Amino acid sequence: MITPLMHPVEVSLVIPTFNERANISPLLGELDAALSGIAWEALFVDDSTDGTDRIIATHAESDDRVRLLHRPANHGGLAGAVVDGLAQIRGIYVCVLDADLQHPPSNVADLIAEARRTNADVVIASRYLPGGSTGGLDGPLRQFYSRGLRLLSRTIFPHRLASISDPLGGFFLVRQSVVQAVGLRPIGYKILLEILIRCPWQASSEVAYTFQPRRHGDSKADFNQGLRFLQHLWTLAWECSPAFSLARVVLNTGLRKADATLPTN
């Protein structure tokens, strides 16, 4: 059970975890150093089978800023874990990052500073701005896929994503009020894209960062994740893209007419 903090929180970190036991202590140590002077909490949404939850619970016993939400069943993968975490946070801002240290904890303070400076609703850590890098991606093939899927997403949503260089990143800050009361339904692991398309944000900004090599454990990205992303992108395109608005009207009208002709008992 998650208990409330007794002091205001500026930023809530939502960190989905799956078998990341070797990364938890280094991650919390780096967050503590990076966020000195900032009121923060870290909510780990854990689906692990390797005892990661026990390590998080040990930290939580000695630090009330650390929270654990251990899910008995993995519903919706990484993005589903983030959605469950969003329902539990207390901060003015929410920062989503991975537990594997490929998203440098030192950059969290940069995202907060940018949000304060610009008053943006969404601040994204971008690998594609000058000064950023995708260097931590595993090999040229994964980098090729990342760039190709990014281009595909921006092609389908050219206006909504016009100012976003890294819409598929997993490291970002968003104002809590922007995600409240929005029915998020991600498929797979690209929660940022879901938020950018479905949520009513007005202003965005980006901060360059270098995607780091994984220190411990194995990457969770695989072919099936890529297929889930394509399913997710198609769902967003059909439900949200203006390009399909007429088709949606025609289909819904046809369904209503079909229902009206069904016999009633």
Side-chain angles (χ1 to χ4, degrees):
M1 180 179 178
I2 296 176
T3 56
L5 287 174
M6 301 307 294
H7 51 78
V9 176
E10 181 173 14
V11 60
S12 295
L13 306 162
V14 174
I15 308 171
T17 51
F18 179 72
N19 295 350
E20 297 285 357
R21 57 180 299 158
N23 292 314
I24 301 304
S25 294
L27 172 62
L28 286 171
E30 293 189 29
L31 285 171
D32 191 44
L35 299 179
S36 176
I38 297 172
W40 60 275
E41 65 173 353
L43 173 60
F44 290 88
V45 186
D46 183 64
D47 296 322
S48 299
T49 58
D50 70 341
T52 297
D53 58 316
R54 293 193 295 272
I55 294 174
I56 298 168
T58 298
H59 283 281
E61 288 174 0
S62 59
D63 188 343
D64 71 349
R65 297 172 302 180
V66 179
R67 307 284 180 121
L68 170 64
L69 174 61
H70 183 69
R71 305 196 301 172
N74 183 334
H75 296 296
L78 182 149
V82 172
V83 172
D84 284 349
L86 292 177
Q88 303 283 355
I89 52 90
R90 279 39 172 201
I92 299 170
Y93 294 100
V94 186
C95 181
V96 176
L97 73 160
D98 291 345
D100 56 16
L101 297 166
Q102 291 189 286
H103 299 152
S106 59
N107 289 124
V108 175
D110 298 331
L111 298 179
I112 297 170
E114 183 69 5
R116 291 170 174 173
R117 185 184 71 84
T118 64
N119 202 35
D121 295 318
V122 184
V123 181
I124 298 166
S126 174
R127 299 163 290 182
Y128 298 104
L129 287 180
S133 172
T134 61
L137 287 174
D138 297 328
L141 184 60
R142 191 176 169 198
Q143 293 202 28
F144 173 77
Y145 285 148
S146 176
R147 292 178 184 272
L149 295 176
R150 165 178 164 258
L151 177 61
L152 178 61
S153 301
R154 296 184 73 190
T155 299
I156 294 175
F157 296 100
H159 300 296
R160 191 65 171 163
L161 301 180
S163 63
I164 309 295
S165 69
D166 199 354
L168 305 185
F171 188 14
F172 61 92
L173 184 86
V174 61
R175 198 182 299 274
Q176 183 198 32
S177 58
V178 167
V179 296
Q180 284 182 336
V182 176
L184 297 173
R185 302 185 299 279
I187 301 170
Y189 62 113
K190 297 302 185 184
I191 183 62
L192 174 59
L193 183 65
E194 177 81 4
I195 288 171
L196 290 173
I197 300 305
R198 294 196 190 273
C199 293
W201 58 275
Q202 298 297 319
S204 68
S205 188
E206 295 183 306
V207 173
Y209 90 106
T210 297
F211 189 66
Q212 299 294 311
R214 173 180 271 272
R215 299 187 196 176
H216 305 284
D218 298 318
S219 171
K220 310 305 187 294
D222 57 21
F223 181 72
N224 288 332
Q225 289 284 9
L227 293 179
R228 291 188 189 98
F229 168 73
L230 293 176
Q231 181 185 0
H232 184 200
L233 185 60
W234 165 247
T235 300
L236 286 173
W238 174 252
E239 294 180 358
C240 305
S241 173
F244 292 98
S245 57
L246 180 59
R248 289 195 295 268
V249 170
V250 171
L251 179 62
N252 290 334
T253 301
L255 291 175
R256 285 195 296 270
K257 288 182 177 179
D259 289 341
T261 62
L262 292 175
T264 57
N265 296 325

